[in-house]
Amino acid sequence: MVRVLVITGAGVSAESGIPTFRGKDGYWRNLDPIKLATSEAFARDPELVWQWYSERRQRIRNAQPNAGHEAIARLAQRADEFLLVTQNVDDLHERAGLAKAEMVQIHGDIFLTKCSRCGFEQEQEHEQEQNGVPRCIKCDALMRPGVVWFGEPLPLREAQRVENYLQRDSCGLVIVVGTTATFGYIIDWALRASRRGGELIEINPEETPLSRFATRLVRKPAALALPRLVDELM
Ligand code: APR
């Protein structure tokens, strides 16, 4: 087996019942990201933002990892070296058996709650969510969901972990699943990882800006394509 990098987006959780952002019925089709996923929106109406994130947390709690998440966890066990970089803030990769050390949540974790002033972080209990906008036990400022909002930088420690993995060596296998590759760093990481002739496989029913760089295109849903691909690779 080889050194592997897997990059996932909302499409890998779509078959678990979690809406994507830009796909059909995606969140951003009906909701304005600027009104919900920016620090300005939070300053303007923290209740509205928390209501939306609480609904999303509940939907994720009610969801289960699918065969795509499980196939990625199997691949991790067989690879010489493995890293998953996910843009997803849900916990389905982890619930499918991936260890925290094998994955980077580059856009944060929806179940983490963070102080909007001092940065203090905590996992928030479900029942606490009912009581409106939580306050920081350290500085009493408003707590916000531990995710990366539009216009915000990537979390340094997480971005550094990706950088370290890419600098250590190239990958023989790169799989990019269920993302519109909207952000340049996603394409950059995929190309750098496969820089020495590694396979770059895109799994997505639709074309993306990454498609023209791929050595193989799989235009099928992730929960169908990933188990087959992992079986084939093994
Ligand atoms: N299997 C594989 N891919 C799928 C599936 C599926 N079952 N269903 C949809 N897709 C694909 C769509 O074709 C689309 O290309 O998943 C992609 C989802 O794209 P987006 O909704 O743009 O999600 P993502 O790329 O993860 O968004 C990136 O943008 O909104 C911000 O921070 C948010 O992390 C998110 C980031």
Side-chain angles (χ1 to χ4, degrees):
M1 194 36 101
V2 292
R3 198 165 188 267
V4 177
L5 175 71
V6 178
I7 300 176
T8 64
V12 79
S13 294
E15 291 154 277
S16 294
I18 311 292
T20 66
F21 293 92
R22 298 171 188 82
K24 194 169 74 45
D25 309 327
Y27 279 123
W28 301 150
R29 293 286 169 128
N30 319 310
L31 303 167
D32 179 351
I34 304 308
K35 288 212 179 65
L36 288 166
T38 61
S39 51
E40 294 76 19
F42 186 71
R44 209 175 24 246
D45 192 342
E47 273 86 11
L48 175 70
V49 171
W50 262 114
Q51 198 191 321
W52 187 55
Y53 278 90
S54 297
E55 281 162 20
R56 288 179 60 190
R57 284 179 169 184
Q58 199 45 47
R59 192 189 273 257
I60 294 164
R61 287 193 191 95
N62 299 338
Q64 294 302 325
N66 61 53
H69 297 106
E70 283 150 12
I72 291 170
R74 278 195 290 125
L75 183 60
Q77 282 162 2
R78 297 291 297 274
D80 292 342
E81 263 190 280
F82 176 93
L83 186 70
L84 167 79
V85 177
T86 186
Q87 298 166 88
N88 300 346
V89 295
D90 65 48
D91 61 352
L92 298 180
H93 281 300
E94 200 183 338
R95 283 158 56 191
L98 264 187
K100 286 248 184 220
E102 296 171 314
M103 56 184 282
V104 169
Q105 284 193 282
I106 200 67
H107 291 165
D109 172 353
I110 198 170
F111 292 107
L112 207 63
T113 302
K114 194 167 84 172
C115 177
S116 57
R117 183 194 296 152
C118 74
F120 170 71
E121 290 183 355
Q122 64 183 30
E123 292 278 344
Q124 191 183 29
E125 300 314 317
H126 183 196
E127 51 287 345
Q128 284 171 307
E129 268 169 45
Q130 323 309 324
N131 318 336
V133 178
R135 286 195 167 268
C136 178
I137 55 173
K138 300 231 186 226
C139 75
D140 201 40
L142 296 182
M143 298 288 279
R144 52 167 283 178
V147 301
V148 178
W149 281 331
F150 289 95
E152 293 187 325
L154 295 179
L156 269 182
R157 212 183 34 233
E158 300 305 325
Q160 193 56 51
R161 286 183 58 209
V162 180
E163 206 46 50
N164 294 347
Y165 190 76
L166 294 179
Q167 281 177 11
R168 252 202 320 279
D169 196 352
S170 61
C171 295
L173 175 63
V174 179
I175 308 175
V176 181
V177 192
T179 180
T180 42
T182 306
F183 303 112
Y185 47 82
I186 297 298
I187 297 182
D188 171 57
W189 291 337
L191 296 185
R192 285 173 56 205
S194 58
R195 65 185 176 276
R196 287 209 203 100
E199 268 227 74
L200 174 51
I201 305 175
E202 181 183 63
I203 298 177
N204 193 322
E206 290 171 16
E207 173 116 11
T208 77
L210 189 80
S211 303
R212 63 194 180 89
F213 300 107
T215 57
R216 186 163 158 191
L217 295 169
V218 183
R219 297 274 175 250
K220 292 210 171 35
L224 188 66
L226 275 165
R228 285 189 191 159
L229 177 66
V230 170
D231 289 349
E232 177 201 312
L233 291 168
M234 290 193 182

